[in-house]
């Protein structure tokens, strides 16, 4: 085995391990709620996702990148801004802050761990290849340059693609389930019985 092949294999194994740890982190909130002895709340879940979207906007992410960071569709993120003036204002202020710290461009000067995580999440969720760079506010050329210069980044992107293919194959074969709906509790329902009602909520 050549030195280059051996190095590529080591990077691939390392990157697959990183993907596994990202999966574990995504399950962390559910485990913490279980420790508290309760299930997910619609209000808490929505606020958490809004906070992730605002954080992504501060980092200079595109609307699509903010949606990926929040774990919702871009349309749902748009609907939240239309329906919630406070959230819309927070997103506007976040983008203003991003522009102020990016020389007025509003896009990140380089990848950071946070923006790379969002980019990888988008790849794992099946975002079209041509649209992936824009998630992190990068041009196609800029991302290609990073991938050439940093073999670890290249390995992570390839690992994310493998994870996306496995997830897609699992759905097609019925071996796994992509969680597009979650069971949550309605907090402000018009009846005392409804306060503990559990419903299925679509995020996509």
């Amino acid at each position: 085995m050549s030195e280059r092949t051996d190095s590529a294999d080591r990077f691939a194994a390392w990157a697959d391990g990183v993907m596994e740890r990202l999966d574990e982190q995504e399950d962390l909130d559910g485990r913490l709620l279980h420790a508290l002895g309760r299930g997910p709340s619609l209000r808490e879940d929505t606020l958490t996702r809004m906070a992730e979207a605002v954080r992504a906007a501060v980092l200079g992410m595109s609307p699509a990148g903010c949606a990926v960071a929040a774990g919702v569709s871009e349309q749902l993120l748009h609907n939240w801004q239309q329906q919630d003036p406070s959230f819309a204002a927070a997103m506007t202020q976040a983008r203003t802050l991003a522009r102020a710290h990016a020389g007025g461009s509003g896009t990140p000067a380089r990848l950071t761990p946070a923006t790379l995580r969002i980019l990888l999440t988008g790849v794992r969720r099946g975002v079209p290849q041509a649209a992936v760079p824009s998630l992190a506010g990068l041009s196609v050329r800029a991302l290609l340059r990073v991938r050439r210069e940093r073999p670890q980044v290249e390995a992570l992107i390839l690992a994310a693609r493998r994870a996306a293919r496995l997830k897609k194959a699992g759905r097609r074969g019925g071996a796994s389930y992509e969680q597009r709906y979650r069971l949550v509790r309605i907090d402000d329902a018009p009846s005392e019985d409804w306060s503990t009602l559990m419903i299925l909520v679509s995020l996509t």
Side-chain angles (χ1 to χ4, degrees):
M1 180 181 294
S2 70
E3 183 177 344
R4 177 176 296 181
T5 300
D6 182 58
S7 178
D9 288 345
R10 284 189 287 106
F11 278 137
W14 167 80
D16 286 336
V18 172
M19 291 299 109
E20 291 176 3
R21 288 192 288 275
L22 288 177
D23 284 335
E24 291 173 358
Q25 289 181 11
E26 288 183 355
D27 292 336
L28 184 58
D29 281 349
R31 296 175 185 178
L32 294 176
L33 276 172
H34 179 72
L36 293 171
R38 58 188 179 88
S41 153
L42 180 58
R43 181 199 297 116
E44 292 173 0
D45 185 82
T46 299
L47 286 175
T48 298
R49 292 177 185 278
M50 285 180 171
E52 289 299 323
V54 170
R55 179 172 182 263
V58 169
L59 294 171
M61 300 296 93
S62 66
C66 292
V68 167
V72 300
S73 69
E74 196 170 347
Q75 181 59 53
L76 181 53
L77 188 65
H78 174 74
N79 290 345
W80 282 349
Q81 293 178 83
Q82 291 291 313
Q83 298 164 6
D84 189 328
S86 297
F87 176 55
M91 290 292 287
T92 297
Q93 289 298 316
R95 294 189 180 104
T96 299
L97 182 59
R99 287 193 296 272
H101 287 270
S105 66
T107 58
R110 60 180 180 176
L111 279 175
T112 66
T115 55
L116 180 57
R117 181 198 295 264
I118 293 171
L119 188 148
L120 293 173
T121 300
V123 174
R124 291 163 67 211
R125 291 180 183 166
V127 172
Q129 183 173 341
V132 167
S134 66
L135 295 178
L138 299 175
S139 67
V140 173
R141 180 176 299 180
L143 182 58
L144 286 175
R145 183 174 65 253
V146 173
R147 294 176 65 175
R148 284 195 303 267
E149 295 174 352
R150 301 298 303 168
Q152 295 94 333
V153 173
E154 173 71 3
L156 286 169
I157 291 175
L158 293 178
R161 286 182 181 169
R162 287 194 295 274
R165 286 196 296 269
L166 287 173
K167 183 178 289 187
K168 185 176 181 180
R171 292 199 304 271
R172 188 180 297 128
S176 66
Y177 172 67
E178 182 184 19
Q179 193 170 5
R180 291 182 177 274
Y181 292 86
R182 297 167 301 104
L183 201 61
V184 299
R185 186 182 71 251
I186 296 179
D187 304 279
D188 299 318
S191 163
E192 59 181 2
D193 294 331
W194 292 109
S195 63
T196 57
L197 177 67
M198 304 297 282
I199 62 169
L200 283 172
V201 177
S202 171
L203 290 180
T204 58

